[in-house]
Amino acid sequence: MAIAKAERLMNLALCLLGTRRPLSKRELRESIEAYLEAGSDDSFNRMFERDKDDLRELGLVIETVENLDGETGYLARRDSNRLPPITLDAEEAAALGLAAKVWQQARLAGAASGALQKLRAAGLPEDVDPYGAHGALEPRIPVHEAAFEPLMLACRDRRPVVFDYRKANAAQPGQRHVEPWALECWRGHWYLAGWDRDRGAERVFRLSRITGKVRSRSGRFTVPVPDVVTVRETVASWAGESADRSARIRLRSDAGYPLRAKATAVRELGDGWDELEIPYGHGLDAWLVEFGPDVVVMEPAELRADVVDRLRAVAKG
């Protein structure tokens, strides 16, 4: 069914783009086999109107013209449906090349490769290799979570979703009904920012804690989607990037290098332990749990309690 509709839309688009004069419904019906096979005039009219609306939604500019006899005709002028020439300098081409290389999963890698090929055909400088080396570091954003792709599509299409989510301090997952806004990557982990319908507030979910399948739901969003900058700030805050206090921890001397990079002060304690002062913000407890027995929280007391609760939940399975 999907292939047949795509072929019908393509044939209609070619007819409208290939004509120099407006074509009537009758002429279009006689030119396209799928329309000839329509059982009745009503069936054809409904099919044609849907196809015309679909092409317009895809971006095709279709004009409606009435001739001297009062008959309505349709055409898509080439000059109205032609994009301006695309010009990219070396830096812009390099940025596109790097963007295409960060995706590791097959489906997005293929789409990125196809997009760059189209840009090359549309005027990408011949002396620029978007896949070439642009420095000693090559960006990679690994995506291992099965929830990534369905959530990415749901964010794009603005579709509500339902999934089971296991909080770090909970032994069993709970169901969440979410209006997904955007996916962001922090410290090598992917997070979903969105509106939690059950709690009536914005929330951030770490994809590695989503269990089972992500299911789409019908209906529209109930709250406006904030701009990209606001969403990134929300993820940064929930992921522990924003801090307004300090925490004091003990860390094994040969461990926790990401924590050391964040530390504002480091003091050797001896016996294989160091004392660090690190920024304390929302999400720090979840991060510290990842270092297991290599970290001991000294203060504040609430951070220590949160880390202990999370470790107990992990121990319970």
Side-chain angles (χ1 to χ4, degrees):
M1 291 293 291
I3 295 175
K5 181 177 181 179
E7 182 179 355
R8 193 174 71 242
L9 290 175
M10 179 64 71
N11 289 335
L12 178 58
L14 290 175
C15 285
L16 295 174
L17 287 168
T19 183
R20 294 185 177 181
R21 63 174 181 82
L23 296 176
S24 65
K25 280 187 179 182
R26 174 182 51 80
E27 291 173 312
L28 289 169
R29 185 176 188 181
E30 293 173 352
S31 303
I32 299 175
E33 183 177 357
Y35 291 157
L36 285 173
E37 295 175 354
S40 64
D41 290 343
D42 288 340
S43 297
F44 160 68
N45 286 329
R46 288 194 299 269
M47 187 184 301
F48 174 74
E49 292 299 327
R50 284 197 302 268
D51 291 348
K52 182 159 56 69
D53 291 341
D54 287 343
L55 287 178
R56 282 174 169 161
E57 188 173 345
L58 290 171
L60 190 68
V61 180
I62 302 175
E63 297 183 25
T64 302
V65 182
E66 188 172 309
N67 61 23
L68 295 177
D69 298 329
E71 188 177 26
T72 300
Y74 306 90
L75 79 161
R77 301 185 193 276
R78 289 183 177 269
D79 55 352
S80 300
N81 290 281
R82 183 180 293 117
L83 291 174
I86 299 175
T87 57
L88 299 171
D89 58 28
E91 292 182 354
E92 292 169 333
L96 288 173
L98 291 174
K101 291 171 72 175
V102 300
W103 302 109
Q104 299 302 307
Q105 62 270 33
R107 285 187 62 175
L108 290 179
S113 176
L116 284 176
Q117 290 177 5
K118 293 177 182 177
L119 289 172
R120 174 74 76 183
L124 188 69
E126 291 294 334
D127 58 343
V128 174
D129 180 11
Y131 289 108
H134 302 288
L137 298 178
E138 178 176 317
R140 292 184 181 274
I141 303 181
V143 178
H144 304 293
E145 294 85 358
F148 178 86
E149 187 170 318
L151 287 176
M152 179 194 68
L153 297 176
C155 290
R156 183 197 66 184
D157 299 336
R158 295 288 186 258
R159 286 185 284 105
V161 294
V162 178
F163 53 78
D164 293 332
Y165 187 76
R166 179 184 57 79
K167 295 176 63 176
N169 58 353
Q172 298 296 327
Q175 192 174 83
R176 311 299 280 267
H177 298 77
V178 180
E179 298 174 13
W181 293 342
L183 291 164
E184 290 289 337
C185 187
W186 290 99
R187 297 198 189 113
H189 299 291
W190 280 99
Y191 296 86
L192 169 71
W195 182 260
D196 190 324
R197 288 182 170 179
D198 299 317
R199 289 152 183 79
E202 66 179 25
R203 287 290 186 270
V204 173
F205 306 92
R206 184 163 155 175
L207 265 61
S208 61
R209 297 197 183 112
I210 295 178
T211 62
K213 292 185 177 180
V214 176
R215 288 96 64 194
S216 298
R217 289 293 180 263
S218 60
R220 299 182 178 181
F221 282 13
T222 59
V223 297
V225 178
D227 59 54
V228 175
V229 174
T230 303
V231 171
R232 287 177 178 170
E233 291 175 351
T234 300
V235 174
S237 174
W238 281 77
E241 294 292 334
S242 299
D244 54 5
R245 293 171 289 173
S246 293
R248 188 164 59 89
I249 65 172
R250 292 179 62 191
L251 180 67
R252 292 189 192 274
S253 301
D254 58 349
Y257 294 103
L259 290 172
R260 296 178 186 276
K262 291 285 186 181
T264 57
V266 179
R267 183 170 64 92
E268 292 185 9
L269 298 177
D271 296 329
W273 290 89
D274 298 327
E275 184 177 279
L276 280 67
E277 285 192 17
I278 58 176
Y280 174 25
H282 186 90
L284 179 60
D285 54 337
W287 193 28
L288 293 177
V289 167
E290 297 178 9
F291 297 93
D294 293 329
V295 170
V296 177
V297 178
M298 306 304 294
E299 58 183 26
E302 72 254 23
L303 176 61
R304 181 183 178 90
D306 289 341
V307 170
V308 170
D309 288 343
R310 287 179 180 272
L311 288 172
R312 285 173 176 168
V314 172
K316 292 178 180 178

